[in-house]
Amino acid sequence: MNRLIYLILSVILILANPLFSETINGTITGKITSAATGEPLPGASIMVDGTPRGTSSNIDGTYKITNVPVGIHIIKVQLLGYLPATRTDVVVNSIHPTEINISLYESPIQTQGLIVIPDYFDRTTDSKISTQVQSNEEIRRLPGAFEDVVRAISILPGVAQALPGRNDLIVRGGAPSENLYLVDNIVLANFNHFGTQGASGGPLSFVNLDYVDATSFSTGGFGARYGNRIS
């Protein structure tokens, strides 16, 4: 009877001892590297599946997870730009740390497509400060214009003819070759019949006034897309 009481008391003392009542834990260490280059990968998330234990890899790719319950666990690793990795059957004991080195493979980051909408920003229009518009009827009625759109421009302020009877226009003192002619935004090197090579004038414009709705003449304030022209 005394022996039985002694045995029961011994069991109670063993269970009450903190050394026996605490859960036995272990440690997991290792290094996270790139499978392509072998370089260390910092910032990777390492978690022990089914437990709150986890950590992140250091600048040199190493990591250390402490207080992991002794047993067999699953390790999961994630890092942005890499495929997630899982290591199963990781045995953790209390005698020595368990070393688990894991290599990650790169994965392209999938993003949603971008939609480019034209004319999102307001288009900057050319200044109209130095622009004069002549309608078809105004050109037809101008004295001395002979229904010629270029001669109609030559009578405007700041414009002169290089030679009488020719449509070589001098605009604000510039050379006739510095003028730019556009028909429906199409550049024409010379707007006139019998033009001289390298010049922009001639005796008479070849544009029939019946096909002209209006003309727009600018002596400045236009955009850079027109190049080194002064009018």
Short mmCIF file of all heavy atoms in Angstrom, two decimals, residues 18-49:
data_model
loop_
_atom_site.label_atom_id
_atom_site.label_comp_id
_atom_site.label_asym_id
_atom_site.label_seq_id
_atom_site.Cartn_x
_atom_site.Cartn_y
_atom_site.Cartn_z
N PRO A 18 7.71 21.96 -14.12
CA PRO A 18 7.66 22.72 -15.37
C PRO A 18 8.53 22.14 -16.47
O PRO A 18 8.25 22.30 -17.65
CB PRO A 18 8.15 24.12 -14.95
CG PRO A 18 7.92 24.19 -13.49
CD PRO A 18 8.11 22.80 -12.98
N LEU A 19 9.60 21.47 -16.10
CA LEU A 19 10.49 20.92 -17.12
C LEU A 19 9.80 19.86 -17.95
O LEU A 19 10.13 19.64 -19.12
CB LEU A 19 11.75 20.33 -16.45
CG LEU A 19 12.64 21.35 -15.73
CD1 LEU A 19 13.79 20.62 -15.03
CD2 LEU A 19 13.17 22.39 -16.71
N PHE A 20 8.83 19.16 -17.35
CA PHE A 20 8.13 18.10 -18.07
C PHE A 20 6.81 18.59 -18.66
O PHE A 20 6.28 17.99 -19.58
CB PHE A 20 7.87 16.92 -17.13
CG PHE A 20 9.13 16.21 -16.72
CD1 PHE A 20 9.80 16.57 -15.57
CD2 PHE A 20 9.64 15.19 -17.51
CE1 PHE A 20 10.96 15.91 -15.19
CE2 PHE A 20 10.80 14.54 -17.14
CZ PHE A 20 11.47 14.89 -15.98
N SER A 21 6.25 19.66 -18.10
CA SER A 21 4.96 20.13 -18.58
C SER A 21 5.08 21.02 -19.81
O SER A 21 4.12 21.19 -20.55
CB SER A 21 4.24 20.89 -17.46
OG SER A 21 5.00 22.03 -17.07
N GLU A 22 6.24 21.65 -20.08
CA GLU A 22 6.40 22.53 -21.23
C GLU A 22 6.44 21.72 -22.52
O GLU A 22 6.93 20.59 -22.56
CB GLU A 22 7.69 23.34 -21.08
CG GLU A 22 7.62 24.40 -20.00
CD GLU A 22 8.89 25.22 -19.94
OE1 GLU A 22 9.83 24.88 -20.70
OE2 GLU A 22 8.94 26.17 -19.15
N THR A 23 5.93 22.36 -23.60
CA THR A 23 5.98 21.74 -24.92
C THR A 23 7.41 21.79 -25.44
O THR A 23 8.08 22.82 -25.37
CB THR A 23 5.04 22.47 -25.90
OG1 THR A 23 3.73 22.46 -25.36
CG2 THR A 23 5.05 21.81 -27.25
N ILE A 24 7.87 20.71 -26.00
CA ILE A 24 9.23 20.64 -26.52
C ILE A 24 9.24 21.24 -27.93
O ILE A 24 8.47 20.81 -28.80
CB ILE A 24 9.73 19.19 -26.54
CG1 ILE A 24 9.69 18.60 -25.13
CG2 ILE A 24 11.14 19.12 -27.10
CD1 ILE A 24 10.07 17.16 -25.07
N ASN A 25 10.10 22.24 -28.16
CA ASN A 25 10.17 22.93 -29.44
C ASN A 25 11.54 22.76 -30.08
O ASN A 25 12.51 22.39 -29.41
CB ASN A 25 9.87 24.42 -29.27
CG ASN A 25 8.45 24.66 -28.78
OD1 ASN A 25 7.53 23.92 -29.14
ND2 ASN A 25 8.28 25.67 -27.94
N GLY A 26 11.58 23.10 -31.37
CA GLY A 26 12.83 23.05 -32.11
C GLY A 26 12.99 24.30 -32.97
O GLY A 26 12.21 25.25 -32.89
N THR A 27 14.00 24.29 -33.81
CA THR A 27 14.33 25.45 -34.65
C THR A 27 14.55 25.00 -36.09
O THR A 27 15.13 23.93 -36.34
CB THR A 27 15.60 26.15 -34.13
OG1 THR A 27 15.39 26.55 -32.78
CG2 THR A 27 15.94 27.36 -34.98
N ILE A 28 14.07 25.84 -37.02
CA ILE A 28 14.29 25.60 -38.45
C ILE A 28 15.12 26.75 -39.00
O ILE A 28 14.78 27.92 -38.80
CB ILE A 28 12.96 25.49 -39.22
CG1 ILE A 28 12.11 24.35 -38.66
CG2 ILE A 28 13.21 25.28 -40.70
CD1 ILE A 28 10.74 24.26 -39.31
N THR A 29 16.20 26.44 -39.67
CA THR A 29 17.05 27.44 -40.29
C THR A 29 17.26 27.07 -41.76
O THR A 29 16.94 25.96 -42.19
CB THR A 29 18.41 27.55 -39.59
OG1 THR A 29 19.08 26.29 -39.71
CG2 THR A 29 18.24 27.90 -38.13
N GLY A 30 17.81 28.01 -42.51
CA GLY A 30 18.10 27.72 -43.91
C GLY A 30 18.37 28.98 -44.69
O GLY A 30 18.60 30.06 -44.13
N LYS A 31 18.31 28.85 -46.02
CA LYS A 31 18.61 29.96 -46.91
C LYS A 31 17.71 29.88 -48.13
O LYS A 31 17.48 28.80 -48.68
CB LYS A 31 20.09 29.93 -47.33
CG LYS A 31 20.55 31.15 -48.10
CD LYS A 31 22.05 31.10 -48.35
CE LYS A 31 22.55 32.36 -49.02
NZ LYS A 31 24.02 32.34 -49.25
N ILE A 32 17.20 31.05 -48.56
CA ILE A 32 16.35 31.14 -49.74
C ILE A 32 17.17 31.75 -50.88
O ILE A 32 17.73 32.84 -50.73
CB ILE A 32 15.09 32.00 -49.47
CG1 ILE A 32 14.38 31.52 -48.21
CG2 ILE A 32 14.16 31.97 -50.66
CD1 ILE A 32 13.89 30.10 -48.27
N THR A 33 17.25 31.05 -51.99
CA THR A 33 18.05 31.51 -53.12
C THR A 33 17.25 31.43 -54.42
O THR A 33 16.19 30.81 -54.48
CB THR A 33 19.33 30.68 -53.27
OG1 THR A 33 18.96 29.30 -53.43
CG2 THR A 33 20.23 30.82 -52.05
N SER A 34 17.80 32.06 -55.46
CA SER A 34 17.20 32.00 -56.79
C SER A 34 17.66 30.73 -57.49
O SER A 34 18.86 30.43 -57.53
CB SER A 34 17.59 33.23 -57.61
OG SER A 34 17.21 33.08 -58.96
N ALA A 35 16.71 30.01 -58.06
CA ALA A 35 17.07 28.77 -58.76
C ALA A 35 17.84 29.06 -60.04
O ALA A 35 18.61 28.22 -60.51
CB ALA A 35 15.81 27.98 -59.08
N ALA A 36 17.65 30.26 -60.61
CA ALA A 36 18.31 30.59 -61.88
C ALA A 36 19.74 31.05 -61.67
O ALA A 36 20.65 30.67 -62.42
CB ALA A 36 17.51 31.65 -62.62
N THR A 37 19.97 31.88 -60.66
CA THR A 37 21.29 32.49 -60.47
C THR A 37 22.00 32.03 -59.21
O THR A 37 23.21 32.21 -59.08
CB THR A 37 21.16 34.02 -60.43
OG1 THR A 37 20.36 34.40 -59.30
CG2 THR A 37 20.49 34.53 -61.71
N GLY A 38 21.26 31.46 -58.26
CA GLY A 38 21.86 31.06 -56.99
C GLY A 38 22.05 32.20 -56.02
O GLY A 38 22.58 32.00 -54.93
N GLU A 39 21.63 33.40 -56.39
CA GLU A 39 21.80 34.55 -55.51
C GLU A 39 20.77 34.50 -54.38
O GLU A 39 19.66 33.99 -54.55
CB GLU A 39 21.63 35.84 -56.30
CG GLU A 39 22.70 36.06 -57.36
CD GLU A 39 22.50 37.37 -58.09
OE1 GLU A 39 21.47 38.03 -57.85
OE2 GLU A 39 23.38 37.73 -58.90
N PRO A 40 21.12 35.04 -53.21
CA PRO A 40 20.17 35.04 -52.08
C PRO A 40 18.98 35.94 -52.37
O PRO A 40 19.10 36.96 -53.06
CB PRO A 40 21.01 35.58 -50.92
CG PRO A 40 22.13 36.34 -51.57
CD PRO A 40 22.42 35.64 -52.85
N LEU A 41 17.84 35.57 -51.83
CA LEU A 41 16.61 36.32 -52.02
C LEU A 41 16.12 36.86 -50.68
O LEU A 41 15.60 36.10 -49.85
CB LEU A 41 15.53 35.44 -52.65
CG LEU A 41 15.83 34.88 -54.05
CD1 LEU A 41 14.71 33.98 -54.51
CD2 LEU A 41 16.05 36.02 -55.04
N PRO A 42 16.29 38.14 -50.43
CA PRO A 42 15.78 38.72 -49.18
C PRO A 42 14.29 38.99 -49.28
O PRO A 42 13.73 39.16 -50.36
CB PRO A 42 16.58 40.02 -49.07
CG PRO A 42 16.88 40.39 -50.49
CD PRO A 42 17.06 39.10 -51.24
N GLY A 43 13.64 39.04 -48.12
CA GLY A 43 12.23 39.41 -48.06
C GLY A 43 11.26 38.30 -48.36
O GLY A 43 10.05 38.55 -48.44
N ALA A 44 11.73 37.06 -48.52
CA ALA A 44 10.82 35.95 -48.77
C ALA A 44 10.08 35.58 -47.48
O ALA A 44 10.64 35.62 -46.38
CB ALA A 44 11.59 34.74 -49.30
N SER A 45 8.82 35.22 -47.61
CA SER A 45 8.00 34.83 -46.46
C SER A 45 8.08 33.32 -46.28
O SER A 45 7.75 32.56 -47.19
CB SER A 45 6.55 35.27 -46.68
OG SER A 45 5.71 34.77 -45.66
N ILE A 46 8.50 32.88 -45.08
CA ILE A 46 8.61 31.46 -44.76
C ILE A 46 7.66 31.16 -43.61
O ILE A 46 7.77 31.77 -42.54
CB ILE A 46 10.05 31.07 -44.37
CG1 ILE A 46 11.04 31.48 -45.47
CG2 ILE A 46 10.15 29.57 -44.12
CD1 ILE A 46 11.78 32.75 -45.18
N MET A 47 6.73 30.25 -43.82
CA MET A 47 5.74 29.90 -42.81
C MET A 47 5.72 28.40 -42.57
O MET A 47 5.93 27.61 -43.49
CB MET A 47 4.34 30.35 -43.25
CG MET A 47 4.16 31.85 -43.36
SD MET A 47 4.33 32.70 -41.77
CE MET A 47 3.00 31.95 -40.84
N VAL A 48 5.50 28.04 -41.30
CA VAL A 48 5.29 26.64 -40.92
C VAL A 48 3.80 26.38 -40.98
O VAL A 48 3.03 26.95 -40.20
CB VAL A 48 5.85 26.35 -39.52
CG1 VAL A 48 5.63 24.88 -39.16
CG2 VAL A 48 7.33 26.69 -39.45
N ASP A 49 3.39 25.56 -41.94
CA ASP A 49 1.96 25.35 -42.18
C ASP A 49 1.27 24.77 -40.94
O ASP A 49 1.79 23.86 -40.29
CB ASP A 49 1.78 24.39 -43.37
CG ASP A 49 0.35 24.36 -43.84
OD1 ASP A 49 -0.32 25.40 -43.80
OD2 ASP A 49 -0.11 23.27 -44.26
#
